[in-house]
């Protein structure tokens, strides 16, 4: 009997069995080790003897674990620029309290005021917040540390990556497992190649990453992400350890991910080769367990399927030892496994979650990209409403194609807005537009009645953009259906304008849009919508303004009115003075100063403008040193052209 078998039989953990054996001086390496009859008897009697005590102890341990893993406290606070309201939100106190604290620190603020990182840091210190070590931006670079695989109290499936030298049989092995064990087969679904799939074994389900080669693994690893919980190292029995095998061993070791070795192609190699491979493995510090190490080597044939079930069993057992956990109650977090641009659906990505349940409609941030989950498709090609941790799914609704390996996080609409702010504050715009030094992008949400209308509209928008390189759009979402409240919330969170072709927004939605200051452009005719879009583009073009003199006057009287300020009474000699203009004062040809007109009056009445030949009086913001006979010019800003 093997360690895990007796553990299962006696209803204890592998660790407990190993503990008993080691305690009695027996040399047993791991849960896969076979026990002699004597060792088996020893385990039974020892466990029986200590039965009571062990029972109590393990309950105590279980209790402690549960308490320790329940994370009811807040996640650590991330210091980044944010509004007073957002900070107060995090604290769970009214904004007023934060405003007062800031005031005491000499910072005058309002609820919606954006605070710099330094001010946020001092607030965090004041409120004694537990501060996250990394900022959101830094977090991106060290994703491996971003999500702990062991946190939480809900169990999750193991995620396995298959690596090894080219032609050693990785693809064949993954295909064999997919053909014989994929969950979609049971459900009658058609497996989609989404970069990962779920396999069913007698010991539970396992998720396999199946991006060809170890490309994904190394790309993901390059960003410091340990997406996989376990590595299956495929070594062809007839070829032995090759350069990419060594590289893969290094990856796995660096990522501190346990390794199971599959010695492949045993159908065509002599049995003696298996021993040779084990010896080679030992040279790379992978000591097979039958030699006292902890590496399980399973001889398989990916072609005939021989040994594959045993391999799956070993993977499941190893995974069990890892005690992989997730926290389902948290907002979903995971990693991007694959990403691409899909016709009709825009940017999509396969996301594999670590914590939380990801649902259609969730808003998310993913590195420099963001969006709203518009659909979720499982590896069996089914549309689903939600997916839990470890289950891969294709997410649609990205604002742009995210990079592989990027952390994917569900956020509130405020969080999304902040992430956008943060992206622009840290100079990382959400699209390439700003990087190219062009105009700021136009953020859009596209809603249409059918998929074909949507494609037509998206194509036309593309054409419109290509006409002018200054034009740049960021379509956060393009979907079919009437405009609804969550579209408005997404628009409000992202600063998007909603374009609706052949669709409507009902009254409640329109009211919400007004409240949230979201513009909706609706039309039944595509070119009308495009015309409106053109206008929007033109409006966004930064118009260069220049100052233009429109009138000249001379000061006739100066009134110093207590409480109000110094008022200049003038006679307009030329042109016109307007209430929205600025004035510049001159004395004997020398410029004295000036400022914006605060109130322009004629005969004690506030007026918009005063023409040549009339008298008027005004107060300006920054200048009070008036004298009779000073010359005053009225200037306004006008577009350069
Ligand atoms: P990869 O580059 O590691 O993905 O290797 P492939 O899965 O593409 O396999 C390379 C070649 O080895 C293909 O021709 C496979 O048919 C063959 N092959 C893979 N596994 C086995 C096996 O177990 N036995 C035999 N005889 N051939 C295998």
């Amino acid at each position: 009997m093997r360690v895990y078998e007796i553990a299962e039989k006696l209803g204890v953990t592998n660790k407990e069995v190993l503990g008993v054996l080691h305690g009695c001086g027996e040399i047993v390496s791991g849960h896969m080790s076979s026990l002699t009859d004597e060792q088996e008897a020893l385990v039974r009697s020892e466990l029986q003897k200590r039965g009571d005590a062990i029972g109590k102890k393990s309950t105590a341990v279980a209790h402690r674990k549960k308490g320790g893993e329940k994370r009811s406290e807040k996640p650590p606070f991330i210091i980044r620029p944010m509004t007073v309201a957002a900070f107060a939100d995090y604290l769970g106190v009214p904004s007023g309290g934060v405003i007062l604290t800031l005031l005491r620190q000499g910072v005058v603020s309002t609820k919606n005021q954006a605070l710099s990182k330094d001010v946020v840091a001092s607030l965090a210190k004041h409120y004694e917040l537990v501060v996250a070590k990394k900022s959101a931006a830094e977090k991106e670079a060290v994703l491996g540390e971003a999500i702990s695989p062991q946190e939480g109290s809900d169990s999750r499936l193991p995620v396995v990556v298959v690596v090894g030298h080219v032609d050693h049989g990785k693809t064949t092995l993954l295909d064999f497992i997919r053909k014989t064990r994929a969950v979609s087969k049971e459900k009658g679904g058609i497996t989609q190649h989404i970069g990962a799939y779920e396999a069913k074994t007698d010991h539970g389900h396992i998720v396999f990453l199946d991006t060809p080669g170890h490309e994904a693994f190394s790309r993901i690893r390059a960003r410091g992400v340990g997406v996989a919980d376990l590595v299956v190292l495929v070594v062809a029995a007839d070829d032995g350890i090759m350069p990419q095998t060594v590289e893969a061993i290094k990856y796995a070791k660096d990522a501190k991910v346990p390794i199971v070795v599959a010695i492949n192609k045993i159908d065509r190699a002599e049995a003696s080769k298996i021993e040779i491979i084990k010896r080679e493995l030992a040279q790379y510090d992978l000591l097979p367990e039958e030699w006292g190490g902890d590496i399980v080597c399973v001889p398989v044939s990916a072609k005939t399927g021989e040994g594959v079930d045993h391999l799956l069993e070993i993977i499941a057992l190893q995974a069990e030892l890892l005690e992989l956990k997730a926290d389902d109650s948290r907002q979903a977090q995971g990693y991007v496994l694959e990403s691409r641009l899909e016709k009709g659906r825009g940017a999509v990505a396969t996301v594999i979650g670590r914590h939380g349940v990801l649902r259609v409609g969730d808003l998310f941030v993913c590195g420099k990209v963001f969006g709203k989950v518009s659909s979720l498709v499982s590896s069996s090609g089914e549309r689903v409403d939600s997916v839990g941790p470890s289950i891969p799914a294709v997410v649609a609704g990205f604002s742009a194609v995210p990079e592989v390996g990027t952390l994917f996080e569900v956020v509130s609409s405020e969080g999304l807005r902040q992430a956008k702010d943060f992206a622009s504050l840290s100079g990382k715009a959400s699209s390439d537009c700003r990087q190219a030094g062009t105009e700021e992008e136009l953020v859009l949400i596209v809603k249409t009645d059918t998929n074909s209308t949507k494609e037509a509209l998206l194509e036309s928008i593309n054409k419109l953009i290509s006409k002018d390189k200054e034009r740049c759009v960021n379509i956060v979402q393009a979907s079919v259906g009437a405009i609804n409240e969550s579209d408005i919330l997404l628009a409000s969170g992202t600063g998007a304008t909603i374009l609706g072709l052949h669709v409507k927004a009902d009254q409640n939605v329109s009211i919400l849009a007004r409240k949230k200051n979201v513009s909706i452009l609706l039309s039944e005719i595509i070119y009308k919508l495009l015309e409106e879009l053109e206008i929007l583009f033109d409006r966004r073009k930064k118009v260069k303004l220049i100052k233009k003199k429109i009138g000249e006057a001379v000061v006739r009287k100066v009134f110093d009115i207590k409480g109000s300020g110094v008022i200049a009474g003038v006679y307009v000699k030329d042109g016109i003075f307007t209430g929205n203009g600025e004035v510049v004062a001159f004395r004997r040809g020398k410029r004295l100063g000036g400022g914006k007109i605060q109130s322009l009056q004629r005969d004690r009445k506030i007026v918009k403008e005063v023409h040549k030949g009339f008298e008027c009086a005004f107060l300006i913001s920054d200048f009070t040193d008036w004298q009779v006979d000073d010359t005053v010019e009225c200037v306004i800003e006008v577009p350069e052209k």
Side-chain angles (χ1 to χ4, degrees), residues 519 532-543:
S519 335
E532 299 233 31
L533 203 54
E534 289 252 20
I535 296 172
L536 275 187
F537 276 128
D538 288 344
R539 259 198 235 148
R540 294 186 81 83
K541 271 200 176 165
K542 280 203 188 91
V543 183

Side-chain angles (χ1 to χ4, degrees), residues 622-640:
D622 307 314
F623 183 77
T624 53
D625 181 28
W626 294 108
Q627 280 181 22
V628 173
D629 285 339
D630 284 347
T631 306
V632 197
E633 287 180 5
C634 180
V635 293
I636 56 165
E637 284 191 325
V638 291
E640 192 174 25

Side-chain angles (χ1 to χ4, degrees), residues 243-382:
Q244 284 172 10
T245 322
V246 178
E247 201 181 320
I249 294 172
K250 191 178 169 310
Y251 283 156
K253 284 198 169 160
D254 284 355
K256 297 192 176 65
V257 186
I259 301 174
V260 171
V261 177
I263 302 178
N264 192 28
K265 306 198 187 182
I266 53 162
D267 58 297
R268 77 167 182 214
E270 290 159 29
S272 60
K273 293 273 190 197
I274 297 175
E275 291 306 302
I276 296 173
I277 305 252
K278 284 184 187 169
R279 221 174 297 149
E280 285 184 339
L281 286 168
Q283 287 169 7
Y284 288 94
D285 249 3
L286 299 179
L287 199 60
E289 64 157 9
E290 49 276 34
W291 299 356
D294 55 2
I295 297 296
V296 185
C297 299
V298 187
V300 297
S301 166
K303 201 163 187 178
T304 65
E306 190 188 343
V308 173
D309 262 347
H310 184 46
L311 175 67
L312 291 173
E313 185 187 348
I314 298 292
I315 295 170
L317 284 165
Q318 290 278 10
E320 203 180 294
L321 286 182
L322 290 174
E323 297 184 351
L324 301 167
K325 294 286 181 229
D327 184 350
D328 287 353
S329 62
R330 252 200 247 175
Q331 289 201 311
Q333 277 184 319
Y335 298 108
V336 171
L337 215 57
E338 283 192 3
S339 59
R340 64 185 175 279
L341 205 59
E342 225 174 58
K343 212 173 169 209
R345 285 211 299 167
V348 300
T350 299
V351 169
I352 201 155
R354 261 291 156 86
H355 291 292
V357 177
L358 179 62
R359 297 182 176 83
V360 171
D362 280 347
L363 301 177
F364 62 82
V365 174
C366 185
K368 297 172 207 170
V369 172
F370 52 90
K372 183 178 130 178
V373 180
S374 58
S375 70
L376 286 170
V377 177
S378 74
S379 59
S380 43
E382 274 177 300

